[in-house]
Amino acid sequence: MIGAAVSRTLGSRGLPWVAGLWLVVLALSPLYGDNYIVKIATFVALYGVLALSWNFIGGYAGYPSFATGAFVGLGAYAGAICQNAGVPMIVAWLLAAIIVAGVAAAMGPVILRLRGHYFAIGSISLVEIGSVLASNWSGLTGGGEGLNVRFLPGGPDFIARFFLYAMLVILVAALATTIAVDRGRLGFGLRCIAQNEDAAEMVGVPSTRYKIAAFVLSGVFCGAAGAAYASWVGYIAPADAFSILLTVKVPVMVLLGGAGSVLGPLIGSAALVLLEETVWARFLDYHQAILGAIIVALIFFLPGGLLGLRLRWRS
Amino acid sequence: MNTGRSVARTGRSALGILVALLAIAGPTAAQTVRIGAPLALTGGLADEGKKQQVAYDLWAKRVNAAGGMTVGAKKLKVEIVSYDYQTNEQRASQIAEKLITQDKVDFLTAPFGSGHTKVVAGVAERYGVPVVASVASSESVFNQGFRNLFGTLAPNAGLTDGLVRLVAKQLPATRRIAVLGREDVFPKSMAAAMVDAAKRGTLEVVYNELYPVGSMDFSAPLAKIKSLKPDWIFVAGYTKDLVLARKQMADLGVSAPVVTMVTGPAYREFAEALGPLAEGVTSATWWVPALAFRSDDVFGTTQAFTADFQAREKGEPDYVHASAAAALVALQKAVEKAGTLDKAKVRDALAALDIVTFYGPIRFSPNGMNAGRDLPIIQVQGGKAVVLQPEALKQGTLRPMK
């Protein structure tokens, strides 16, 4: 109701302001909350990055990718290994983003030949491959023992704020890219591919190139976010870095908010993280069951995501 | 109109009562010692997380029944503040932050998983909150230079050296050893420690491999081991893996005079799941109920702890229960010695601790791990884990497997 009313008054032109306002709310969290609240805000920003990333391939191009966990894990390991080799932290994050983009560009032509369920399975296997590589390539990754990342010195307040703003910078970059894609040729082409790939090809959309571009975009910010996360926690291990849970959670967030739009991923990621947090804090014993029920209900009753509320109100 | 006014009046009086209640509750709420516990109550490590929970609760009940913990001139009740971290690293780090900043706990305990222990310790280190870890025995958990992390288990090498000595003494014909370990923090470190110990003890390591996490079939490594005809087969993994490996060994006809599984027989679930197949499997562990330590801690003796446990749960406690309770005993001793809840002073008291508890001696090395000692070696004989070593507690002698 309220969401619908808000968007009715704002109209579609007002929506970017909602995004801006949301960024401000997150950025100001150190002023109104303790470090735990700041940590949640950081996680909201982190998941915002991942959801916006997934939106390129899953939302615009309509390819159900489950590679998010692989990109995050690869970014975490790439960043950690670079940092331990003496590369300054921020440079290591950038390198991680470049490495992940490179891997996505190399893997894209292979797995983007698959469509629908086959593509989903192909992309989820990347997570598993990453995990197996990380646990068996002991010389480079420390294997099952995991990898220590240089511990950034500083008090808890400084660390909390530093990583909040680091995640927000990555989030702004992902958001700006989304807006550019949404309004540009690439976004148009990807929407055509999502509707009918063969038809798109016929009217001159270079579908292979566009799909690879979307896949790379869906990886690059995840890589940076993964590397930043590794520096934040100070330790990574294969099973937690290459997380199947994460790879499934991010598409749920985007579907929750509304796929193939600028705001949907932001709304969905914020809604799911905050929902998880509230449900978890209130119902210690049954939180997972309750969360599952809420997700099922949302998907049943809001197939277009939370943004779809607005459309329904209008019609 | 009338209704509106009466609603307003009711609201006002309700508010008044609430304020009064808060005013009463405020000053009477006595100060307690709050200890934060991120526990894996769901997810992959749920069984182990529940063991920690039981042990913490045993300790807290016992301390509170005795009037509380002595802090300077006062006796304060203790309170365990716990959350389920769902065996999820991200959740573990979030909960550590929540416990410190919102629940304002004085101290923390570490969760079961080795990696999760590191993540929680990383958060606590920034706040200078002491963390006691009850089930981390791999040195890699303690290699980040954290000043506030203390673990009650002794390093893995303490287990393997004792095993090699015992086998060399009682079955001197043992020459060739095959080592199989799980690619995971604790089992991997255990397998590496075994290989080192074997080499020091002039054994020949004929096989040394790791299996990936989540393996559902050990027939390939076992077939290879069979072809090498070792005298000693050593497998390091978690209970589920070990049960499967032992069953497959029987199916494939793989055998050796000595079969060691770590931590296998240290958990009673191992022998329960395997029945006759568990017979003869040896292991080393940090603690068994047969130990007989006397101490001035809240439990007093090993027997008292075991009796307390049995009165509450079915069956005997294992080293996870004992070590978890011992971690809190160590914390209590450090607080009592420091005479304050000041985190930095308690941290220093923990570092300087040198005590004997119901669980055994506790003295932390510079890296935060409990110093090594003569650790128990056990073998399943007649369906029960029997102590072979140390000499003082000996319940049986090492029997070769058929």
Side-chain angles (χ1 to χ4, degrees), chain B residues 85-126:
Chain B
Y85 81 95
Q86 303 165 339
T87 319
N88 176 338
E89 176 198 277
Q90 187 191 315
R91 194 46 96 184
S93 114
Q94 246 174 296
I95 286 174
E97 196 104 30
K98 184 178 171 70
L99 285 166
I100 295 170
T101 60
Q102 295 199 332
D103 296 307
K104 309 248 184 282
V105 296
D106 298 295
F107 312 106
L108 277 174
T109 61
F112 186 89
S114 310
H116 306 145
T117 294
K118 296 184 85 161
V119 168
V120 167
V123 173
E125 185 74 12
R126 304 218 188 266

Side-chain angles (χ1 to χ4, degrees), chain B residues 33 36 57 86 145 154 161 196 225 252 281 301 376 389-390 393:
Chain B
V33 183
D57 195 49
Q86 303 165 339
D161 283 335
D196 287 346
I225 289 174
L252 297 168
V281 175
T301 58
Q389 211 179 276
L393 304 170

